[in-house]
Amino acid sequence: MAELLALVDRGKPYPLAVAGPADLRCERAGSVDARIVVTDPAYSLYCLDHDNRRALFVRTDTEPAHAPFYFLAQYEHATGAVALSYDELHALETPEPRGVFLHSTGRCGSTLVAAALAGPGGMVGVSEPDALTQLVTLSPGWPSASCASWPAAACGCCRGDAPW
């Protein structure tokens, strides 16, 4: 069972700071089936809480994928959260991938390309999901003996049709 969290307060050091678990002050509100983060499109992966070996998903009242900065829309529109241990995250069953994962460097025109490819039945572009930024900063010192490997963690954060 995943941990259901009630949002009490927000507090980022500055708006474009990389998403982290300290951004959202939450209180435990109960337990919930971990599959909620896959079945309820209102949830999206916000960040990794590596010190506690868990992933934090936020519930938002809007679709953050349509915002210029995904992580900032998640932060500003969060109404609650769910915390899953890394083991729970990797154990989630998700649909087979139905798309293409493209990664780009910043300031390269990717927003224009995403807008051109979007449309009825087209691509959904997610601009700067910070969980992936966190993976990059964690990867050099990833403790392989204490948790899943770097490639498995990346796959856990970029699953098939999952809303994150």
Side-chain angles (χ1 to χ4, degrees):
M1 292 299 279
E3 187 177 8
L4 185 63
L5 303 169
L7 181 62
V8 175
D9 198 11
R10 294 175 178 82
K12 284 178 85 72
Y14 54 95
L16 295 179
V18 173
D23 297 350
L24 305 171
R25 198 178 59 154
C26 297
E27 293 178 347
R28 183 170 168 73
S31 297
V32 66
D33 186 327
R35 291 177 294 191
I36 195 169
V37 302
V38 176
T39 60
D40 185 342
Y43 283 97
S44 58
L45 179 60
Y46 179 67
C47 71
L48 301 175
D49 180 0
H50 194 60
D51 291 341
N52 294 305
R53 294 181 29 97
R54 64 185 192 166
L56 296 177
F57 291 79
V58 292
R59 180 177 178 79
T60 57
D61 57 7
T62 188
E63 174 52 66
H66 300 300
F69 295 101
Y70 187 75
F71 70 94
L72 192 54
Q74 289 176 300
Y75 172 78
E76 291 173 345
H77 296 281
T79 60
V82 169
L84 272 73
S85 71
Y86 285 173
D87 292 337
E88 288 172 314
L89 176 65
H90 297 306
L92 282 177
E93 290 185 25
T94 57
E96 287 295 317
R98 290 187 313 144
V100 176
F101 177 77
L102 298 173
H103 183 269
S104 60
T105 61
R107 315 305 312 158
C108 70
S110 59
T111 302
L112 178 62
V113 171
L117 294 173
M123 182 184 92
V124 174
V126 177
S127 180
E128 304 189 32
D130 266 5
L132 297 179
T133 302
Q134 287 184 300
L135 280 176
V136 170
T137 61
L138 288 172
S139 64
W142 195 265
S144 60
S146 65
C147 62
S149 69
W150 155 242
C155 288
C157 291
C158 302
R159 293 237 170 137
D161 287 348
W164 64 90

